[in-house]
C-alpha cells in the first residue's frame, strides 16, 4: 500500500469511527427520549432495530444494483458480480442480526446510569477505579475509549455492577507496563479496529443472549472493560494471568481466553 493509499484509508477509518461514535450517542439519546415518552423498552427495541436493519437494507440495495464498468471483459464482470453477491449476502446477514437485536433499551439505561452515576439510583456508588501506583493511565479515559469501540456497539443485555467493572479494569490496566502508557488509548482503539470482525464474532457467538452464555459462562464477553483484557491477552498474557490470579475468578479469564483463541500460559 502506497503512502497516498495509506493516508486515504486512514481518513476512511477516521470517518467510519466518527459515524460509529455518533450512532452510539444517537441510539442512547433515542432510547432516552422514547423512555421519557413512556414507550416500553420492548417496543423501543423493535423500533430502533427496524430502523437500523432498514439502513443496512438500503446499503444492500445500493450494492446489489451496482454494475461493472461498461465494456469490461467477461472475466472482470464475473469477478465483479461474484464480489457483489458476497457483499450483498453479508449485508443481508447484518440486517437480519440488526432486526433481531433485543434488550438494548434496558442496557442503554444501565449504561447511562453507569456513566452518569446518579446518586439517587445507586445506593453506594463505587469510586472510580484507581490507576495502578505510579501510573499515568486514566481509567476513565480508557473506559471511554472502550465504550466507543466495537465492543460497546452491541449494547449487551447486562453489564457487571460498577464495583465488579472497576475490579476488572484495575487488574487489566495493571498489566499495561509503564513504558506502554504513552499512547495506550490510541493503541487500544487501533486494536479494536484491527480485530473488529473477531470481536463481533465473539459477541455474536458467546455474548449475552447466546446459547453458551445462557449456561452462566463467558460472563466477560460483552463487558466494555474486556476490550482491555483481550488486548492484554495479545500483548502481555503472562503478566495479565499473574496479576489476575488471586484477584478475580480464574474461570472468567479462562472462558474468555478459550473463545478468543489463546491458551493459558504455562509456567
Amino acid at each position: 500500500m502506497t503512502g497516498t493509499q495509506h493516508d486515504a484509508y486512514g481518513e476512511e477509518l477516521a470517518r467510519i469511527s466518527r459515524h460509529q461514535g455518533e450512532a452510539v450517542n444517537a441510539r442512547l439519546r433515542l432510547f432516552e427520549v422514547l423512555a421519557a415518552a413512556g414507550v416500553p423498552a420492548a417496543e423501543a427495541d423493535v423500533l430502533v432495530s427496524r430502523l437500523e436493519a432498514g439502513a443496512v437494507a438500503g446499503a444492500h440495495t445500493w450494492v446489489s444494483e451496482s454494475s461493472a464498468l461498461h465494456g469490461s471483459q467477461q472475466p472482470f464482470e464475473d469477478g465483479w458480480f461474484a464480489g457483489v453477491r458476497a457483499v450483498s449476502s453479508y449485508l443481508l446477514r447484518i440486517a437480519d442480526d440488526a432486526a433481531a437485536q433485543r434488550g438494548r433499551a434496558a442496557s442503554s439505561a444501565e449504561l447511562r446510569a453507569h456513566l452518569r452515576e446518579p446518586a439517587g439510583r445507586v445506593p453506594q456508588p463505587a469510586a472510580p477505579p484507581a490507576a495502578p501506583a505510579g501510573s499515568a493511565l486514566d481509567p476513565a479515559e480508557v473506559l471511554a475509549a472502550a465504550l466507543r469501540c466495537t465492543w460497546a456497539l452491541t449494547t449487551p443485555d447486562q453489564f457487571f455492577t460498577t464495583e465488579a467493572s472497576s475490579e476488572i479494569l484495575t487488574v487489566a490496566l495493571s498489566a499495561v507496563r509503564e513504558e506502554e502508557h504513552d499512547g495506550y488509548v490510541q493503541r487500544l482503539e487501533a486494536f479494536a479496529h484491527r480485530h473488529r470482525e473477531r470481536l463481533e464474532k465473539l459477541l455474536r457467538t458467546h455474548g449475552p443472549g447466546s446459547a453458551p452464555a445462557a449456561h452462566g459462562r463467558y460472563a466477560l464477553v460483552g463487558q466494555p472493560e474486556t476490550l482491555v483484557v483481550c488486548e492484554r491477552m495479545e500483548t502481555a498474557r503472562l503478566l495479565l494471568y499473574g496479576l489476575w490470579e488471586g484477584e478475580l475468578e480464574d474461570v472468567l479469564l479462562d472462558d474468555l481466553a478459550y473463545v478468543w483463541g489463546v491458551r493459558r500460559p504455562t509456567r
Side-chain angles (χ1 to χ4, degrees), residues 107 109-115 117 122 126 143 147 151 155-169 208 213 216-227 229 244 248-249 251-253 255-256:
S107 65
E110 293 177 6
L111 179 58
R112 288 196 303 273
H114 178 77
L115 294 175
E117 296 185 350
V122 182
L143 180 60
L147 287 166
W151 195 260
T155 55
D157 293 334
Q158 291 184 335
F159 288 111
F160 282 143
T161 64
T162 303
E163 182 178 356
S165 297
S166 299
E167 293 175 356
I168 296 168
L169 185 59
R217 302 293 295 271
Y218 310 104
L220 284 182
V221 179
Q223 282 294 121
E225 294 86 353
T226 305
L227 181 64
V229 180
W244 191 282
L248 298 167
E249 294 184 28
V251 68
L252 292 174
L253 188 57
D255 279 351
L256 180 65

Side-chain angles (χ1 to χ4, degrees), residues 131-135:
S135 172

Side-chain angles (χ1 to χ4, degrees), residues 7 21 29 54 56 62 70 79 81 84 93 97-98 104 128 137 142 150 152 186 190 213 224 238 253 259:
D7 291 342
R29 176 58 178 157
V56 179
W62 188 88
H70 180 70
F81 287 115
V84 166
R93 291 197 298 272
D97 289 343
R104 298 188 298 173
L137 285 175
V142 174
T150 301
Q186 290 72 26
L238 184 60
L253 188 57
V259 294

Side-chain angles (χ1 to χ4, degrees), residues 3-123:
T4 302
Q5 290 173 324
H6 185 274
D7 291 342
Y9 183 59
E11 291 176 2
E12 289 182 6
L13 289 179
R15 289 164 59 191
I16 288 294
S17 179
R18 185 182 73 251
H19 288 315
Q20 288 174 339
E22 290 174 349
V24 172
N25 291 332
R27 186 192 299 129
L28 290 171
R29 176 58 178 157
L30 183 55
F31 279 132
E32 188 174 23
V33 171
L34 291 173
V39 177
E43 185 178 351
D45 279 328
V46 171
L47 291 172
V48 174
S49 65
R50 286 177 178 174
L51 281 172
E52 294 182 344
V56 179
H60 177 280
T61 300
W62 188 88
V63 169
S64 62
E65 292 179 351
S66 64
S67 301
L69 295 175
H70 180 70
S72 300
Q73 294 182 356
Q74 192 61 43
F76 182 86
E77 289 190 357
D78 291 342
W80 177 277
F81 287 115
V84 166
R85 286 194 297 272
V87 172
S88 297
S89 297
Y90 190 64
L91 286 172
L92 176 58
R93 291 197 298 272
I94 294 174
D96 288 339
D97 289 343
Q101 288 280 1
R102 295 295 183 269
R104 298 188 298 173
S107 65
S108 293
E110 293 177 6
L111 179 58
R112 288 196 303 273
H114 178 77
L115 294 175
R116 297 173 181 173
E117 296 185 350
R121 296 184 60 184
V122 182

